[in-house]
Amino acid sequence: MPPTEHVLVLALMLFCIGAVGVLVRRNIIFILLSLEFMMNACALVFVAAGAKWGQPDGQIMYMLILAIAASEVAVALGIVIQMARRFRTLDVDAASELRE
Amino acid sequence: MTPLILFYVAGFVTLASAILAITRTNASHALIYLVVALLAIAVIFFLLGSPFAAALQIVVYAGAIVVLFLFVVMMLNLGKSSVARERELLTRGIWTLPSLLALVLFAVVLFALVSGDHEAGAQARMIEPKEVGIALYTKYVLAVELAGVLLLAALVGAYHLGRRYLADRREEEESS
């Protein structure tokens, strides 16, 4: 089994890539994609911890993350469709009307 | 020793395809790299002794969630006409690198299966799906029900947000 520390470092790097994606990209599809990476990094930590202690709890937490990710994507893509219809663009800066 | 090298290869593929995914300009290309990254994470789950999580990662994440993304990207079809986009998707440069990364993953899994020492090299034991199922429906039965409620709420929310009349009403307001 790979050492847990190395898995944690990999998860951290993956999370950072996702965070950079959220901060840098302005296309909403890419922001959601980066969120998927961040969620996967969290899931990786859970599974690694479960594997380290030899308990199934880590995988159960992974399944709950899976359910959360699925519902997040479903609702977020509904918002994407509405945004594309209203603003004719996927740039999140176009949807800053509430501020004005 | 062998699973360690396999882990590093899979980790490299994960990070490489993640970086490539967030730097693409075309959403469809980024989604291809997302699939490769998710498959690489599934390989890591397998190497960690969690075959059930690995299977779920492929079936639910790479299968269902990415297809959902792809449906929306194709449906919106921003910019160029669909025929031009289709032709663009089939050029060689686009699919070579994702296929290559996926091939590396395939080699990793194949090697782990053929060498057959993925359990011998593991210090921790393999966590079987049976154990996960038993724990899921005894200790975590409340969490399962909460996840069910969450999915129902997401279903209703996605249906409401996806309806057309919200946009139509907006256009009426603008025209009047």
Side-chain angles (χ1 to χ4, degrees), chain A residues 68-82:
Chain A
I68 291 168
S71 29
E72 178 250 6
V73 163
V75 173
L77 288 177
I79 293 172
V80 171
I81 292 171
Q82 283 300 322

Side-chain angles (χ1 to χ4, degrees), chain A residues 1-13:
Chain A
M1 200 180 83
T4 310
E5 291 81 14
H6 294 198
V7 185
L8 291 182
V9 169
L10 175 68
L12 181 69
M13 286 160 87

Side-chain angles (χ1 to χ4, degrees), chain B residues 53-125:
Chain B
L56 276 182
Q57 175 86 1
I58 293 173
V59 172
V60 179
Y61 245 117
I65 294 180
V66 173
V67 168
L68 209 61
F69 264 108
L70 213 56
F71 271 150
V72 169
V73 170
M74 298 279 172
M75 202 177 97
L76 297 176
N77 195 19
L78 304 151
K80 288 156 270 178
S81 72
S82 59
V83 179
R85 166 154 295 200
E86 199 74 24
R87 197 170 292 135
E88 188 187 319
L89 274 174
L90 288 174
T91 56
R92 192 180 297 158
I94 298 307
W95 53 262
T96 311
L97 202 49
S99 321
L100 219 63
L101 289 170
L103 208 65
V104 170
L105 282 179
F106 177 70
V108 166
V109 175
L110 201 69
F111 190 75
L113 289 177
V114 168
S115 68
D117 64 346
H118 55 278
E119 269 184 294
Q123 290 149 358
R125 68 206 172 85

Side-chain angles (χ1 to χ4, degrees), chain B residues 4 10 22 29 60 74 78 90 126 139 151 153 158:
Chain B
L4 211 59
I22 66 162
H29 302 170
V60 179
M74 298 279 172
L78 304 151
L90 288 174
M126 208 81 158
K139 217 158 94 184
L151 287 172

